Amino acid sequence: MKWTKIYILLLTVAAIGAQRAAAQDLPYYTPDPATFQIRYGVGFPLGDLKQQVSNNSFNGWDASLMFHLDHHFSLGLSVEYQDFYQKYPRGVYQYGDKNTNISAVVSNSIQNIPILFKGTYQFLSPDAAIRPYIGAGIGINAVSYRQYLGEFTNFDQSTGKLALNGEAGVNIPVSRNHRFGVNLAAEYHYLPYNELGINDMSFWGVKGGIYMPL
Amino acid sequence: MNRYWGFLILVSGALLWQSCRKEPLNHLSNDESRIYITQFDSTVSFNSYKTFSVSDSVLLLVNGQDVGMVLDSADSLFIQTFKTAMQQVGYTLVARTDSPNLAVNLTHLNSNYVAVTYFNDYGNYWNPYYWGYGGYSYGFPYYYSAYQVNEDALAFDMFDLKNATANGKQLKDIWSALIKGEDIFNPANVSAEVGILFSQSPYLKQ
């Protein structure tokens, strides 16, 4: 009986020890199946877009739903919105046969809405204080371009085009369980257009927002 | 989890509030709303014309219909300002009966009409239950809403009287201009409006 008690005691101690050892091996953070992220964005026009609107855009946001494959890889969908607008001082423009001149204040209003299938890779372990990541996306850019001469519409065109995206940033957990945090990123959007003599609507931007588990 | 959603709703609301599309028409002054279109006949030499005359009143067209000749204070100001501008670029003002080389007509174009539009499903946002008729629906007439359009424009047309016979007895319009937009008949704007027409037509200068 005495040996039986000692045997049970030893087994209990071993079990508790094994459990504690196993617990130490478990990551501090266990990834959720999916993460929802929403961010504010500032856009900086590039290339042909800059010819149409040279002003930076402070009207932008994106929202994404990412599914975690493991501690590092995620795949998901993202919808982005960036509004570019510029009003040019009054100027005189030649039209048609060049015998016609129009004096007008030209306003250009362009909305890029890339809808992307996205993948990201997060570096470091999930319990790191800051996790850098890189990402890329491909999808459709729903782009709307309206131009006004004074108060009169010169053209109003909406179309869908290819969208490619590259991104790098950091995720900074702010909750104890690392499920909720802040995201900061820089991104580049390659957005071919090939309409109205404009080759692309590409821009780069900086983003900041929050992510949370679903 | 609940506080996550609360925070998310706050952030989303802030983004939506901040990120609305800038509507270009809401960022235009009346002056910026106006456009000035000029067109000229490149086959003529304006240096060959020396004298001109301007109609003493303005033809008013409403929805394309001839309403008659009018002359209010803005019309008079346009006529006088145009005469002065022509003289400043080197032409001589003469009476209509003194065989001017060029004749200038002014036409006030007004589009003023009411149109109707149809909103389907509009009433479904109101629940008939509110009036004690749960399970009922609203019946709307096919045409439901109306909107009014009232646009003004002023046209200038310069005709070649000097070569009317040589042109097959035709008074050729060798220069035309159109002003469209907000507040174009405000007397305070007339001088600037006529000035823009001449500044973008340097070939008129003698």
Side-chain angles (χ1 to χ4, degrees):
Chain A
M1 185 60 116
K2 183 182 175 183
W3 285 107
T4 303
K5 286 181 179 175
I6 293 172
Y7 182 66
I8 291 172
L9 182 62
L10 286 174
L11 278 178
T12 303
V13 169
I16 292 171
Q19 188 183 18
R20 287 192 175 174
Q24 283 172 356
D25 289 337
L26 280 175
Y28 176 67
Y29 161 84
T30 303
D32 295 289
T35 297
F36 180 75
Q37 179 175 266
I38 187 161
R39 303 183 294 186
Y40 168 71
V42 178
F44 305 93
L46 297 168
D48 280 11
L49 174 59
K50 198 167 186 173
Q51 304 292 320
Q52 309 302 312
V53 176
S54 60
N55 286 344
N56 299 328
S57 163
F58 294 91
N59 292 335
W61 57 268
D62 74 2
S64 60
L65 182 61
M66 302 299 291
F67 297 91
H68 302 288
L69 305 181
D70 58 25
H71 283 244
H72 297 285
F73 284 102
S74 302
L75 290 175
L77 289 172
S78 140
V79 178
E80 309 200 13
Y81 174 87
Q82 201 74 48
D83 174 42
F84 292 90
Y85 161 78
Q86 187 153 2
K87 179 173 71 177
Y88 289 92
R90 182 173 291 281
V92 179
Y93 304 90
Q94 282 191 331
Y95 265 70
D97 54 8
K98 297 189 177 179
N99 297 338
T100 302
N101 292 314
I102 298 182
S103 165
V105 170
V106 172
S107 303
N108 290 337
S109 175
I110 297 170
Q111 291 76 46
N112 278 316
I113 308 174
I115 301 161
L116 301 168
F117 178 69
K118 216 164 177 177
T120 62
Y121 178 84
Q122 292 195 80
F123 300 97
L124 304 182
S125 65
D127 57 351
I130 296 178
R131 297 194 74 190
Y133 73 93
I134 55 173
I138 184 169
I140 292 173
N141 181 30
V143 55
S144 167
Y145 187 7
R146 293 176 304 158
Q147 184 179 77
Y148 293 89
L149 301 178
E151 65 179 2
F152 304 97
T153 305
N154 191 30
F155 56 78
D156 183 349
Q157 184 159 316
S158 297
T159 184
K161 299 287 183 181
L162 173 70
L164 297 173
N165 161 271
E167 177 176 340
V170 291
N171 287 322
I172 307 168
V174 295
S175 66
R176 284 174 59 84
N177 59 14
H178 284 206
R179 301 173 75 195
F180 179 90
V182 172
N183 171 275
L184 299 171
E187 63 177 4
Y188 170 73
H189 284 285
Y190 175 63
L191 306 171
Y193 188 58
N194 298 317
E195 303 274 352
L196 306 165
I198 302 163
N199 292 323
D200 70 289
M201 293 287 191
S202 302
F203 68 96
W204 76 277
V206 292
K207 293 265 169 69
I210 58 167
Y211 62 87
M212 57 177 287
L214 282 186
Chain B
M1 181 65 87
N2 284 339
R3 47 186 187 163
Y4 291 163
W5 282 106
F7 192 56
L8 178 70
I9 289 167
L10 275 177
V11 171
S12 303
L15 283 177
L16 284 174
W17 173 77
Q18 185 280 335
S19 299
C20 290
R21 179 174 72 182
K22 274 199 171 181
E23 180 54 52
L25 297 183
N26 294 339
H27 293 79
L28 289 177
S29 66
N30 283 347
D31 173 56
E32 292 169 334
S33 77
R34 293 191 286 273
I35 63 171
Y36 304 82
I37 306 170
T38 53
Q39 192 168 28
F40 70 100
D41 183 342
S42 59
T43 65
V44 305
S45 169
F46 285 91
N47 284 324
S48 65
Y49 305 98
K50 303 299 177 192
T51 60
F52 77 101
S53 187
V54 181
S55 60
D56 59 3
S57 52
V58 174
L59 174 65
L60 175 61
L61 295 181
V62 177
N63 299 328
Q65 300 297 310
D66 180 353
V67 173
M69 304 303 290
V70 294
L71 186 68
D72 62 18
S73 58
D75 298 329
S76 297
L77 195 54
F78 266 114
I79 291 170
Q80 185 52 50
T81 306
F82 194 86
K83 286 177 179 174
T84 304
M86 283 291 281
Q87 290 171 309
Q88 286 173 343
V89 294
Y91 297 89
T92 302
L93 176 65
V94 297
R96 177 164 60 100
T97 53
D98 287 342
S99 302
N101 295 160
L102 296 168
V104 179
N105 288 345
L106 275 67
T107 308
H108 178 169
L109 306 158
N110 175 258
S111 297
N112 186 352
Y113 58 90
V114 174
V116 288
T117 187
Y118 171 57
F119 294 159
N120 59 353
D121 299 332
Y122 185 83
N124 294 331
Y125 293 103
W126 283 94
N127 191 341
Y129 180 80
Y130 178 79
W131 298 108
Y133 287 84
Y136 284 61
S137 62
Y138 285 101
F140 278 88
Y142 185 78
Y143 291 113
Y144 180 65
S145 183
Y147 61 94
Q148 184 167 4
V149 173
N150 190 2
E151 289 180 334
D152 284 299
L154 182 64
F156 299 78
D157 290 283
M158 188 183 290
F159 297 98
D160 180 358
L161 302 184
K162 183 181 176 184
N163 303 302
T165 305
N167 288 333
K169 295 188 176 180
Q170 189 180 53
L171 308 185
K172 272 181 69 178
D173 191 348
I174 60 172
W175 181 85
S176 62
L178 185 74
I179 307 173
K180 283 185 77 174
E182 299 297 319
D183 216 15
I184 62 177
F185 288 98
N186 183 339
N189 299 329
V190 169
S191 177
E193 290 169 339
V194 172
I196 288 175
L197 297 182
F198 278 82
S199 70
Q200 69 186 58
S201 306
Y203 41 82
L204 288 176
K205 193 170 175 62
Q206 292 285 293

